[in-house]
Amino acid sequence: MEDYEKCTLCGLCKVNCPTFQVLKNEGDSPRGKAILMKKECDDPIFFKCNLCGACKTSCPMGIDLGLKQHRAKLVEKDIQTDANKKMIENVRKYGNPFGDPDDDSDPDELYCC
Amino acid sequence: MNPESALAKIFGKDGVSTHKAELLSYATDASQIFGTALAVVFPKDEDHIRKLIILASQRNYPLVPRGGGTALTGAVVPDNAIVVDFSRMDRIIQINVKTKEAILEPGVIVDDLNMELRQFGLYFPVIPSSHEVCTLGGMVAANAAGLHALKYGKTEDWVNGMKTIDGTGKSYTFNEKNDFIGTEGILGFITEIKVKVTPLMPHTYLTLTRCKDLPQMIGDVEELAKDSKIVSLEFLDPITSKLLKLPESYHLIAEFVGEGEDSDLMELREGASVVLGGEGYLTTADPKLSSDKMEEFLTWIKENGIPCFGHIGYGIIHPRFRDDQGELIKEMFQLVQKLGGEISGEHGIGIIKKEYLDPDRKAELKGLKYMYDPQGIINPGKVI
C-alpha cells in the first residue's frame, strides 16, 4: 500500500502548507493532491507545491505523499507546466534553469522546480 | 448549462474554478464520501453571496457552503452542486476587549482567532480536534464541541449573534441565537459571526487513571465530574489503550485547573484517533449518552469488540469502525435511540446519519427548510 492511500483526508496537512496558505484553494493543498492520487487524476496542479515537506510534519500519521516521485512520473507522461518544461530545457541546454549563461542581462523569467 | 461565465461575472476569474482536478478536490470532506462539484467559488463579502443566491435561484443551481472541509459526515459533499468555499472570507473584523466579544467572517480558523485573542489575554474556548484548520462558520453550522466541552459547552453557548442570508436572498441580523446554528448549512449562508470570548484559561495539569473495569470507570467519572476544577475528562477503552502502549484497561485522562506538572497526556489522547486509523478503523461516530445509560452503551460496545475513546465527561463517545462494519454501525445507532441518546453529539448529521435522525427533529428542520429555502437550493441532500 502506498503512503498516500492511507490518507484519511482529515485536512490537517493544510496548516503549514505554504502553497495552501497563499492560494487558499483546496485543489492546491496536500489533501487535494492526495485525493487526486487516490482517484488517479494526473494534472499539472502537482507542480503547485514547494516540496518543502511541511505536510508530512503536520500529518497526524506522518504520511509522505511522495510528491517529488509523483511529479517525475507526470513528466514522463508529459503532464507538466510550461515553466517546468522550460526549466528542464534550459538545464539540458545551458546547465542552469535560467537560460543562456553568456547573456549578461537578467533573465526575463525565472524557473524553479 | 455550464455556470462558469455567469459565476465569473460575480466573483471575477480568480474567484471561480471549474478546473477538473480542483473540482475533484472539492468533491469530498473528511468523511471520504465523494460527490460531484460543478464549480467552486470563493466569496469575499456578503454582496458576493447575495448575487450568487440570486443567480442560483434563477438557474436552480444547488449551493454547498464549505469551511475547512473537516466534516466527518459528508455535510459539505456536493451532489452536482456549486461549492462555496469561505476560506477567503477570513477577516477578524473586531475584537472588543471590554465586552469580551469578537466579530468574525465565517472563514476564520479557530486557532487563528485564538492567536489574535491571546495578546488581550482572551480565548475562544470551544476547541474541536480539528482546531488548526476548522473554521468558525463550520463550527457554528455543526454546533461543534471539543476537548473542553465539559466546562465550556458547545459552539452555540458562545455565539452572540450572526449575519445570515437565506435561500431566498433575504438577509438577517440577529442579536441572539438563531436557526442557523447546528443546522449544517441547509438554510442559508452565514456571513458574519459575533462570538463571546473568555479570559485565558489558567494553568492546567493532567492526570492518567487506570480503571480495573468498566463499572469502576463509570464510578470514577461520576466522582470526577463533580470536581469544580475539572475542565476535561477523556477516556480510552482497553483496545485503544493497548494500541497506545498502555496496559489493556480503561483509562481516564482528566484535566484540572491548578498548578501541576506539565505532561504529554493530551497528545496521548489525541493520538488515539491516529492509531485506530492506522489499524483500519477509519469511520468515527459521536453518539451522546446520559450518564445513567453510559455503562449499558459501553458494555455493548465492548461486547462487539468496537474500539472507542471520547469526551466521557460530556457524554460524547467516539466508537471507531472498519469500512465493512456498516451493519454494526446501524445496530449501534439503534441502541443509542433505544437508550434515549443523541446520534450526534458534535459532528452533526450530514449524509451518513440522516436515516437515524429523530423524526420530531426531522419534521422541525423540514419546516425551517421550507421557510428559509423553499426552492431547496442550499446544501440539498443533507440532514433531512
Side-chain angles (χ1 to χ4, degrees), chain A residues 6-16 20-29 31-33 35-36 38-39 41 43-45 48 58 60-61, chain B residues 17 19-22 24-32 34 42 66-70 85 87-88 90 109 112 129-133 274 277-278 282:
Chain A
K6 296 177 199 160
C7 172
T8 61
L9 308 186
C10 69
L12 291 179
C13 53
K14 298 192 293 182
V15 179
N16 295 314
F20 176 78
Q21 289 305 326
V22 171
L23 300 174
K24 303 267 182 183
N25 184 326
E26 191 74 46
D28 301 322
S29 73
R31 173 168 67 172
K33 293 182 174 82
I35 291 169
L36 300 186
K38 283 173 183 247
K39 295 288 178 184
C41 176
D43 191 275
I45 207 168
K48 282 189 185 175
S58 308
M61 293 168 76
Chain B
S17 173
H19 182 80
K20 186 188 157 197
E22 288 179 6
L24 194 49
S25 301
Y26 280 96
T28 188
D29 54 18
S31 69
Q32 306 199 47
F34 276 81
F42 301 91
R66 179 182 172 114
T70 54
D85 184 343
S87 302
R88 296 180 194 173
D90 60 349
I109 290 167
D112 292 344
S129 58
S130 56
H131 54 91
E132 292 165 298
V133 286
V274 178
L282 293 171

Side-chain angles (χ1 to χ4, degrees), chain B residues 137-302:
Chain B
M139 286 174 66
V140 171
N143 194 13
L147 279 177
H148 296 136
L150 180 61
K151 180 171 173 61
Y152 293 110
K154 298 175 79 168
T155 307
E156 65 181 344
D157 301 314
W158 294 87
V159 175
N160 259 1
M162 295 197 293
K163 281 187 181 174
T164 52
I165 305 181
D166 72 12
T168 68
K170 188 177 171 189
S171 298
Y172 302 85
T173 302
F174 292 130
N175 292 317
E176 51 190 41
K177 291 174 185 177
N178 67 56
D179 297 329
F180 285 62
I181 301 177
T183 43
E184 302 183 39
I186 63 168
L187 307 180
F189 293 92
I190 299 163
T191 57
E192 224 171 88
I193 308 163
K194 189 197 280 184
V195 293
K196 287 186 280 182
V197 295
T198 185
L200 276 171
M201 195 156 60
H203 188 270
T204 62
Y205 65 97
L206 294 149
T207 62
L208 178 71
T209 310
R210 181 181 173 187
C211 309
K212 76 173 186 339
D213 54 24
L214 180 56
Q216 192 208 323
M217 183 178 77
I218 298 292
D220 287 354
V221 168
E222 277 177 29
E223 283 307 306
L224 285 164
K226 291 176 193 162
D227 192 318
S228 62
K229 289 180 178 169
I230 199 160
V231 290
S232 74
L233 181 53
E234 303 287 306
F235 89 106
L236 306 167
D237 82 329
I239 303 172
T240 314
S241 295
K242 192 180 175 191
L243 287 169
L244 289 167
K245 317 269 185 248
L246 293 169
E248 196 173 351
S249 312
Y250 285 97
H251 286 86
L252 286 171
I253 300 173
E255 185 178 7
F256 300 92
V257 169
E259 292 305 316
E261 274 186 37
D262 289 333
S263 72
D264 55 3
L265 286 171
M266 203 46 83
E267 281 78 15
L268 185 77
R269 152 65 185 86
E270 288 184 339
S273 181
V274 178
V275 293
L276 290 170
E279 293 293 312
Y281 296 100
L282 293 171
T283 303
T284 305
D286 63 323
K288 188 169 190 287
L289 282 303
S290 59
S291 55
D292 60 323
K293 302 291 181 190
M294 190 61 79
E295 187 168 346
E296 187 177 347
F297 179 73
L298 287 177
T299 300
W300 182 89
I301 289 280
K302 188 183 176 193

